[in-house]
Each structure stands twice: as structure tokens, then as C-alpha cells.
């Protein structure tokens, strides 16, 4: 259809058909007031504050719901419009507490702003007013429904975006309210405490407890940075007053989280001001930590490392990196370890995800999300298997819900009722441990009914003939007993996935552990290859990581067998490139892995260990574990962290590091998106950014490094790493983020992978068979989720809301 021409306040404008008057006015920069309108919710025109005058129309029109028409002449601030808006405001004020002088929302309250704008200071309407009790039952925020104007935005966020369904409209007429069913407390509802209702409330009805009396909007400085929890990499604003973070809000209009957060991102930052933070270097003397200067600490570390290398050789040294560290910190750390003559560099929590990595590397030649998270919102079908993204990665859950609202089909296969089950067109309550059998049977159906993308298979894959022959042994009827599903359930799920134009698979890195190894990942890769759902938008395989920078720490070469960008040590050209850049001689032999050291046959090899922001004792069973015993028996242990962790308590030297909000650096999220995290507050005491500590230690060890700030380090990373070659601090500052591969300065980045070619050339079909018994699979899933809780690993088979419940209970303590 052709564009529509209309006039708004004397200015002509051309807009697309279907545009509302409000949207057209905003394109001209017109500020039409709104209460109930939210861009991601269906408009309902309830509050009437957005009315405008349309010439030749009998009545004023709610601009948020009225579409434009050719030749419309609209007035947004006519006398009739202003009079109507004043009437709306006067009615609201008649039943609204006028305690603006003490209300925490002052300065950000839409009702206050509009009353000021239209000169409404009181109301002539008398009568009864609401006198509702406050609900402060939960740990995070206070609900004062006397201030609620019934705009309904919080209801839409809770119902449609999050899917928690904790609140809705209750009662009618004057008694109308917003709250949980049966007037329960929010604490006793299905609320997941994501904070979306707080961030979207236009008035002071919802107030974070921690913010009360702490500061007004005009007293704080906002710094945009990156959430430090899971691998989504949500953009957040840190609100700072007197060098203290007093509030966190989501950043709107960014491609990662679009103004959404979860309970951890919204409320889980008070540790920054904890009195337990490390503030000075500590050296253990006669079993007791003693505060020392940085020079004393680094000099002592250098002497001890050199002594260990002289006595045992470089292979007795190991560095344990953290998926919480910045890219710059991780890069310098592996550079330091390798410059000292060994490739013994790893991250223990990476091994929670190793099967997923191994499976994707085998099938595709690269280990990363194939597509962007935002693309999930536009896919035609989603297959969620043995995962609960609504709980483990809420932003992914939000995007799946959005896709379903747009008409996408959802298939959920999980032993439990998960957060997305209520939306699923097909729910498959399979038995735990039978995931591979289900996926193989789906592949069998796709081939039997000729639903495969044969052109894609012929051009882009290998191993298909062998796979087709072997998968014939997995008809649906052959796996019904193992999976507990009917033949029709399996066939219908396969048809939904295979017949969609674009279909995505969503699982989590925990499910491959539940199934024993990377076999399930390979089985899921087979499905994607079979249907051609790779190398294009809104399709792909989503296996999101747990930690915020696990992708980045792996990209940075903090692995025993590869350098940055997964460049293999065995490749002489690669080693020569790094040797020239670093002025060292890198050993061609891979180092030992953390798993080999802590759980394998290399326990006695390591004599000295440097641990960067990692806590293996907690991850591997606590103070009485084999991991703790191994660390106690080391000749020398150094730990850099922000708290005195269980691992730090065993160290000979503990170095105080800056937290995410106290240092500049980059993180790479699970969709390969590189983003800058900016500092908002100063680190406590003598704590310093990790990159600066490592660079200073390198100097004490005789290495001549010269970095003025993290941007210098990133420039070196880009010069050595093909996937990062086109990324720089200047571009990130200007563009916000870039997704690798980004091979040149003029490359826009890659929202999805494998367009035209896989990392290994051709995608590989691999027949896999399930081996884990149902009971064992369920037990492994739960045990893995619980034991890795401190490592920020994600549970896939824990009961719904358990992670959030644990978080809330911890907050209460």
C-alpha cells in the first residue's frame, strides 16, 4: 500500500499505513502525553490522556489506538484537547495521594509532570478515596496501590512479556485495583521479581525498598554498563550517588534486552558495597593473612613463581581464569601464563559447558550461538528441549513469548512443567534421559515424510547418506516406551519444526550433561542440518552459556590448546604470529586442562597456581573436597578476587580486584556480541582492575608490557584475532556493540553464523544414541544444577522458580 499523507499541528508528514496518530506525532517530535501506552504491548486507549482533535471528527480521538487516514488534519494541543486532558488529570488527582514532597517518584512521575504541564494542582471532585494498605511483604519493593492510576502497563508486562501472571485487574468501578488473585500478598503470588512492573510504572505505586530516601533523580549520575550475571549481557543503568550504586534500571532501545531485566540484574548488585570486600593485598604468614603493599605482594609472587619454575619447570605452573573476567583481563592472563613458558591455562567452570562446545565444534566447526537472541522474536517455530529459558535465561524466555504472540508454534519437551509450557502448542512430557531418542525419532519422521531440505543437505553438509541409513532404526513407535510419549506426539512435534519456514532450537548447556556428554548437542545439530535451519535469520541452535563472559574468555584463548579466536597451537604460522607480537616463544604442546588437574590424572603435576576471579573449591564440593585438598598441597597459590572466597582462604597471596561496576572493559555475550562495560563507582580501598594487576605483575616478572588503558589491550586482541579484527573501542563507543565475526573496520558484524559456509566447511551429520537411564538423567541434571549454583551454571530440570526462590531467600538473610 502507498504511504499516507496527513497534517499534524500544521506540519505535513508521510507515514506507512497502519501507523497510529501517536506514532506519527512522535515521528515529528511531538510529545503527546500517555499513561497506558507501551510500545511492546497492545494499545488499549484506556487512560484517555493521549486524546487529540481530528478535524471533522465528532469527538476527540485516543491517538494511541487510532490509525492515520489520508488527508487527516490533527491538532495535539488545541483548546478542546487541553480541556479534556485537564479533566482526566483532575479526576486522577481526586483519588491520588498528593505527597509529592516525600514520594520517591518525584522528578520521574508522569502524573506530576502532566499536572505541572497543564496547571492541575488539586481537584474539585470530592467523595471517598482509596485507603489501601501497603504491601511490603517481599524483599525487594513496596506496593502502594493508593497511588496506582490503573494504567495497566504493569499487568501487560507481567502477563504478556514475562509470563509470570502474578497480577491483573481486580474488582470493578471505584474498587478496581491491580494485584495478585484473591488480594494475596505479592510475596505469595507467582511473581518472579524481575522488576519490569517497577520500571514501567508511570507513578509512585511501586518503589524499590533500597531506594527509599537514598536520592532523587536529579541527584544521581547514570552510567550505562553491562549486567555481570548470565551470558545474555543485558544493558543496565547504574544510578550513583556519593560513589554508591542506589538503583539499577534497564537500558531501553538496545538490541540485547530492550528494557527488560530479571531479578538478579535488577536487584542483585548490593554486594558492591559489602563490608566483606577485599581492599588490600594479603600475604599469609604463619597461617594468618597480613596486609601488605602492592609492591610487596607482587614482588613476593614474582619470586615464588620464578622459584617454582626453576625447581620444577614451567609445566608446574597453571593459570585458572574466570568466565566473569573481562576480555582484556582474560587475554592478558593467558598471555602472562604463556609468556612464562606453559599453556596450562583454563577455566574450571568452562567444563560445565565443554560438552556443548565439543558438540558444536564437531558439527559446525565453531562453538557459539548460531543466531542472535533478538531473532527468536521473529521465528516461525521454536523447539525447547529439556530446558527452562524462562528461568535460566529470562530474556530468551521473553523473546520466545513474543514469537508466540506473533503466531509462532512452540514445542516444549521436558519432564517438568516449565515456564513456557502454558504457551506450547505441543508439550512433550518425556522421561528424563530420553532426549536423544526423541530427537532421533523426530529426524526419522522428517525423512520418512520427506520434510527435509534436500537442497541444503546436498550443498552444505556431509555424512548424510550414513545418517539417513542409521536413523531408519529410530521410528517413533520404537522409542515410545523409552520416552513415555505417543507416536502422534512425536510426529506432530517433528512436523511443526520441519515445516516452519524458520525454526529455532533452544536448549541449555546443562542438558548435554544430563544426557552424559555432547551427544544430545550433536543430535540437535542433526535436526537443524536436516531442515536447513542454519545460516539464515530467525533459525539456528541456541545453547546459551551460564556465565556473563564465558564466550569471551574462550575467545581470548584462556584454553589449554588454542590461542585467541581458537587458533591452534599446533599451527606454526599462528605461533609465529603471536611470538612476534609478544616477543616470546610459545610452546606448541597443549597445556593441561582444569578437569585433568582437579579430577583427572594430572593432580600431582601442578605446583603453583594463579587463580583469577574463580572459586573451584565452591564449584567442586567445598572445604572437604578433593579440590580443596589439591590446592592446600600446592607449593604456592595466588588468588585474585573481590571477596575472601573458599579458594582465596587457602591462598598464600590474595589480591583485591575491582568489580564490574568499578572498571572499564569489554564482555562478549552468548550471541558473540562484544560490548563495553563502563565504570560507575570507585573500587574500595586499594582494589584495582584485573588487567592492571596482571600487567603490573608481568613487569615484576621481567616482561615489558605497555598498556595505558583497556582499549590498548583490545587493539592488540583485534590485531591477532581474525574474528575481532574489525572491532575497536571507537566503533563500540559509536555503535554500542558488534557481533563477531567482524573481520574488517567496515564490516557490520554478524548477527547469525554460517551463511554460505560452516566453520569446518560443511556441516556434519553424526548419528548418536542415548545411553543414560531416565532415573540417572534426572539425578545428574538436579545434582549438576545444585553443585554448580555458585558457578552461575544454569539448572535445566530444577522445579519452576527454584533459582529465583533461592535468590530471594538469600536476600532475606
Amino acid at each position: 500500500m502507498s504511504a499516507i499523507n496527513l497534517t499534524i499541528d500544521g506540519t505535513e508528514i508521510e507515514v506507512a499505513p497502519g501507523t497510529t496518530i501517536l506514532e506519527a506525532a512522535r515521528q515529528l517530535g511531538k510529545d503527546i502525553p500517555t499513561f497506558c501506552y507501551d510500545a511492546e504491548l497492545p494499545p488499549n486507549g484506556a487512560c484517555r490522556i493521549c486524546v487529540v482533535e481530528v478535524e471533522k471528527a465528532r469527538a476527540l480521538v485516543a491517538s494511541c489506538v487510532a490509525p492515520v487516514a489520508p488527508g487527516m488534519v490533527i491538532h495535539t494541543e488545541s483548546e478542546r484537547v487541553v480541556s479534556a486532558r485537564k479533566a482526566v488529570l483532575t479526576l486522577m488527582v481526586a483519588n491520588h495521594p498528593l505527597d509529592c514532597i516525600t514520594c520517591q517518584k518525584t522528578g520521574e512521575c508522569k502524573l506530576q509532570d502532566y499536572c505541572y504541564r497543564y496547571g492541575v494542582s488539586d481537584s474539585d471532585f470530592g467523595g471517598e478515596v482509596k485507603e489501601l494498605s501497603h504491601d511490603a511483604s517481599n524483599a525487594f519493593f513496596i506496593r502502594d496501590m493508593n497511588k496506582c492510576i490503573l494504567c495497566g502497563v504493569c499487568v501487560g508486562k507481567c502477563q504478556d512479556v514475562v509470563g509470570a501472571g502474578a497480577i491483573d485487574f481486580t474488582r470493578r468501578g471505584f474498587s478496581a485495583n491491580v494485584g495478585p488473585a484473591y488480594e494475596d500478598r505479592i510475596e505469595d503470588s507467582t511473581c518472579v521479581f524481575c522488576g519490569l512492573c517497577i520500571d514501567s510504572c508511570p507513578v509512585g505505586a511501586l518503589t524499590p525498598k533500597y531506594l527509599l530516601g537514598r536520592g532523587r533523580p536529579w541527584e544521581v549520575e547514570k552510567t550505562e554498563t553491562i549486567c555481570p550475571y548470565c551470558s545474555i549481557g543485558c544493558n543496565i543503568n547504574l544510578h550513583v550517588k556519593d560513589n554508591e550504586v542506589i538503583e539499577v534500571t534497564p537500558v531501553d532501545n538496545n538490541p540485547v534486552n530492550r528494557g527488560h531485566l530479571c531479578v538478579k540484574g535488577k536487584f542483585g548488585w548490593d554486594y558492591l558495597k559489602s563490608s566483606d570486600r577485599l581492599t588490600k593485598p594479603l600475604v599469609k604468614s604463619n597461617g594468618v593473612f597480613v596486609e601488605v603493599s602492592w609492591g610487596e605482594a607482587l614482588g613476593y609472587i614474582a619470586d615464588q613463581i620464578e622459584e617454582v619454575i626453576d625447581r620444577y619447570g614451567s609445566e608446574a605452573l597453571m593459570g585458572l581464569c574466570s568466565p566473569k573476567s573481562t576480555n582484556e583481563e582474560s587475554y592478558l592472563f593467558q598471555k602472562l601464563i604463556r609468556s612464562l613458558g606453559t599453556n596450562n591455562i583454563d577455566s574450571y567452570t568452562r567444563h560445565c559447558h565443554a560438552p556443548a562446545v565439543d558438540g558444536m565444534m564437531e558439527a559446525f566447526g565453531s562453538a557459539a550461538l548460531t543466531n542472535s537472541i533478538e531473532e527468536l522474536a521473529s521465528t516461525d517455530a521454536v523447539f525447547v528441549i529439556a530446558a527452562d529459558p524462562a528461568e535460566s535465561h529470562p530474556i530468551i524466555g521473553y523473546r520466545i513469548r513474543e514469537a508466540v504472540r506473533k503466531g509462532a508454534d512452540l514445542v516444549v519437551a521436558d519432564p517438568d512443567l516449565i515456564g513456557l509450557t502454558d504457551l506450547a502448542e505441543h508439550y512433550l512430557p518425556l522421561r528424563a534421559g530420553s532426549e536423544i531418542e526423541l530427537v532421533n525419532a523426530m529426524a526419522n519422521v522428517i525423512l520418512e515424510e520427506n520434510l527435509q531440505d534436500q537442497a541444503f543437505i546436498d550443498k552444505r553438509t556431509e555424512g548424510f547418506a550414513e545418517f539417513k541409513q542409521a536413523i531408519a532404526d529410530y521410528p517413533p513407535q520404537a522409542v515410545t516406551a523409552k520416552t513415555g510419549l505417543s507416536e502422534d506426539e512425536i510426529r506432530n512435534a517433528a512436523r511443526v519444526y520441519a515445516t516452519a519456514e524458520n525454526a529455532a532450537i533452544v536448549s541449555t548447556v546443562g542438558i548435554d550433561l544430563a544426557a552424559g556428554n555432547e551427544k544430545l548437542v550433536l543430535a540437535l545439530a542433526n535436526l537443524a542440518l536436516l531442515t536447513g535451519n542454519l545460516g539464515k535469520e530467525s533459525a539456528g541452535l541456541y545453547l546459551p552459556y551460564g556465565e556473563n563472559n564465558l564466550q569471551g574468555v574462550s575467545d581470548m584463548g584462556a584454553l589449554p590448546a588454542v590461542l585467541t579466536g581458537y587458533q591452534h597451537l599446533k599451527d606454526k604460522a599462528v605461533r609465529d604470529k603471536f611470538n612476534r607480537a609478544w616477543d616470546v616463544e610459545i610452546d606448541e604442546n597443549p597445556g593441561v586442562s582444569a578437569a585433568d588437574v582437579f579430577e583427572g590424572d594430572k593432580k600431582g603435576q601442578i605446583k603453583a597456581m594463579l587463580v583469577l576471579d574463580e572459586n573451584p573449591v565452591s564449584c567442586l564440593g567445598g572445604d572437604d573436597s578433593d579440590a580443596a585438598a589439591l590446592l592446600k598441597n600446592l607449593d604456592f597459590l595466588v588468588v585474585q578476587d573481590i571477596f575472601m572466597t573458599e579458594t582465596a582462604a587457602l591462598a598464600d597471596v590474595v589480591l583485591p580486584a575491582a568489580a564490574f561496576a568499578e572498571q572499564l572493559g569489554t564482555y562478549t555475550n552468548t550471541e558473540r556480541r562484544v560490548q563495553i562495560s563502563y565504570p560507575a563507582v570507585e573500587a574500595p580501598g586499594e582494589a584495582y582492575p584485573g588487567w592492571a594487576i596482571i600487567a603490573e605483575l608481568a613487569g615484576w616478572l621481567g616482561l615489558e608490557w605497555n598498556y595505558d588503558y583497556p582499549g590498548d589491550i583490545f587493539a592488540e586482541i583485534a590485531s591477532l584475532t581474525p574474528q575481532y579484527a574489525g572491532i575497536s573501542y571507537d566503533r563500540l563507543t559509536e555503535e554500542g556493540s558488534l557481533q563477531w565475526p567482524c573481520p574488517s573496520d567496515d564490516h557490520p558484524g554478524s548477527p547469525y553464523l554460517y551463511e554460505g559456509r560452516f566453520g569446518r566447511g560443511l556441516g556434519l551429520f553424526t548419528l548418536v544414541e542415548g545411553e543414560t537411564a531416565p532415573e540417572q538423567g534426572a539425578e545428574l541434571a538436579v545434582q549438576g544444577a545444585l553443585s554448580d549454583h555458585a558457578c552461575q551454571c544454569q539448572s535445566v530440570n530444577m522445579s519452576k522458580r527454584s533459582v529465583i526462590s533461592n535468590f530471594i531467600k538469600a536476600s532475606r538473610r
Side-chain angles (χ1 to χ4, degrees), residues 110 191 255 422 506 585 615 686 707:
K110 279 190 173 185
C191 179
D422 61 321
V506 177
E585 286 294 326
N615 190 7
E686 296 182 20
Y707 305 106

Side-chain angles (χ1 to χ4, degrees), residues 189-208:
S189 72
T190 56
C191 179
V192 295
F193 300 101
C194 63
L196 262 67
C197 57
I198 299 171
D199 295 322
S200 61
C201 182
V203 293
L206 306 171
T207 304

Side-chain angles (χ1 to χ4, degrees), residues 496-512:
V496 167
Y497 177 75
T499 59
E501 183 175 350
N502 298 303
I505 298 172
V506 177
S507 189
T508 62
V509 291
I511 182 56
D512 50 318

Side-chain angles (χ1 to χ4, degrees), residues 141-200:
F141 66 99
I142 297 171
R143 301 176 70 248
D144 180 2
M145 292 297 100
N146 296 304
K147 295 179 180 178
C148 176
I149 61 172
L150 300 174
C151 69
V153 174
C154 62
V155 174
K157 297 283 188 178
C158 188
Q159 298 279 357
D160 296 336
V161 177
V162 179
I167 56 175
D168 205 340
F169 287 102
T170 62
R171 299 183 179 273
R172 292 292 182 268
F174 176 80
S175 300
N177 195 13
V178 170
Y182 312 112
E183 299 184 351
D184 284 348
R185 305 181 309 165
I186 200 72
E187 171 80 348
D188 301 323
S189 72
T190 56
C191 179
V192 295
F193 300 101
C194 63
L196 262 67
C197 57
I198 299 171
D199 295 322
S200 61

Side-chain angles (χ1 to χ4, degrees), residues 62 73 109 159 194 209 242 310 317 378 407 439 464 538 544 568 596 607-608 702 787:
V73 178
C109 174
Q159 298 279 357
C194 63
K209 287 185 174 181
D242 299 330
D310 288 343
L317 175 67
S378 301
V439 175
F464 173 68
S538 298
H568 287 276
D596 289 337
K607 304 299 181 182
S787 66

Side-chain angles (χ1 to χ4, degrees), residues 35 87 125 135 151 285 296 303 355 415 472 484 515 603 624 630 809:
F35 284 122
F125 298 102
D135 180 0
C151 69
S285 177
E296 291 174 309
D303 290 343
K603 290 184 177 181
D624 296 326
L630 182 146
K809 290 174 184 176

Side-chain angles (χ1 to χ4, degrees), residues 356 360 369 505-509 511 521 524 541-545 670:
M360 287 189 287
L369 254 68
I505 298 172
V506 177
S507 189
T508 62
V509 291
I511 182 56
V521 181
L524 294 173
L541 178 58
Y542 291 79
L543 295 169
Y545 295 133
T670 195

